[in-house]
Amino acid sequence: MARTGERKTQILQTLAAMLEEPKAERITTALLAARLDVSEAALYRHFSSKAQMFEGLIDFIEQSLFGLVNRIQGEEQDALKQVESIVAALLAFAQKNPGMTRVLTGDALVNEDPRLQTRVNQLVERIEASLRQSARLAVSAEQLPKEWDVSAYANTLIAYVIGRWYLFAKTGFKRSPTEGWAQHWHVFSA
């Protein structure tokens, strides 16, 4: 029998796997329980609600993405390279985690507790703030023009990332979020 922590992880991994199915129907606790071959009551022994299960996925996304962003900002001295690496990491994360991409785009959160979408929105705002911070450093290092509007730049970058995530999810994970990134970066670094 799986221990509580292992079972929680198994539930979240199964939920994420179900979100990776391109034509996934709305995931109910009944479907999730059936996939795990347990009762719905067993799910509720580990999570008080389905919203709490999604919060577990959002926690994973947050830890993963900010782990990457913080590492890039801590290790990369070149500010413009920081921006490039952060955006590339956001796109690569989606490529590796299609189910999580559906959470990031809000697709998996339709008809769920509104606080989940609020939490994802806050996560995206924090990523945008990290991009703005690196862009500000790039202006200071004269890698970008002094009159550069770092807020508009960071907002454009995050809109690009969200658009790539959205295309990936809406094409049933056929259109890679990293497709054309090298060429797109030339536009953002010009």
Side-chain angles (χ1 to χ4, degrees), residues 45-60:
R45 279 195 286 278
H46 301 284
F47 294 96
S48 62
S49 65
K50 188 165 67 158
Q52 195 178 58
M53 293 175 207
F54 276 109
E55 284 176 339
L57 293 182
I58 294 169
D59 286 342
F60 169 80

Side-chain angles (χ1 to χ4, degrees), residues 26-97:
R26 183 166 184 261
I27 297 171
T28 63
T29 53
L31 285 172
L32 180 58
R35 183 72 65 97
L36 287 160
D37 199 27
V38 299
S39 68
E40 283 185 77
L43 294 178
Y44 289 116
R45 279 195 286 278
H46 301 284
F47 294 96
S48 62
S49 65
K50 188 165 67 158
Q52 195 178 58
M53 293 175 207
F54 276 109
E55 284 176 339
L57 293 182
I58 294 169
D59 286 342
F60 169 80
I61 293 168
E62 210 164 35
Q63 290 170 9
S64 299
L65 291 180
F66 284 103
L68 291 167
V69 168
N70 292 337
R71 192 180 81 236
I72 291 165
Q73 288 182 324
E75 294 175 4
E76 181 57 64
Q77 297 304 306
D78 182 310
L80 199 55
K81 188 74 177 155
Q82 280 181 19
V83 172
E84 178 185 11
S85 296
I86 290 169
V87 174
L90 295 170
L91 299 175
F93 176 84
Q95 180 77 43
K96 255 182 87 172
N97 301 283

Side-chain angles (χ1 to χ4, degrees), residues 18 28 37 62 67 79 89 100 104 116 135 142 167 185:
M18 290 172 77
T28 63
D37 199 27
E62 210 164 35
M100 302 301 176
L104 284 165
L116 297 170
E142 298 180 359
L167 275 173
W185 173 245

Side-chain angles (χ1 to χ4, degrees), residues 1 3 5 10 17 24 32 39 47 56 58 70 72 112 114-115 125 130 135 140 142 151 157 174-175:
M1 189 160 130
R3 283 190 235 145
Q10 183 184 30
L32 180 58
S39 68
F47 294 96
I58 294 169
N70 292 337
I72 291 165
E112 299 299 339
R115 80 174 186 273
E125 287 168 11
S130 294
S140 296
E142 298 180 359
S151 292
L157 288 168
K174 289 180 179 65
R175 185 112 183 249

Side-chain angles (χ1 to χ4, degrees), residues 94-151:
Q95 180 77 43
K96 255 182 87 172
N97 301 283
M100 302 301 176
T101 304
R102 290 190 58 216
V103 173
L104 284 165
T105 62
D107 183 40
L109 304 178
V110 173
N111 300 320
E112 299 299 339
D113 190 315
R115 80 174 186 273
L116 297 170
Q117 187 60 58
T118 299
R119 185 137 175 241
V120 169
N121 293 347
Q122 291 168 341
L123 183 152
V124 170
E125 287 168 11
R126 286 179 52 213
I127 293 169
E128 184 177 345
S130 294
L131 287 166
R132 194 169 36 253
Q133 177 186 353
S134 293
R136 205 172 277 119
L137 292 171
V139 168
S140 296
E142 298 180 359
Q143 294 175 300
L144 294 172
K146 284 197 185 306
E147 67 279 356
W148 203 259
D149 183 335
V150 294
S151 292

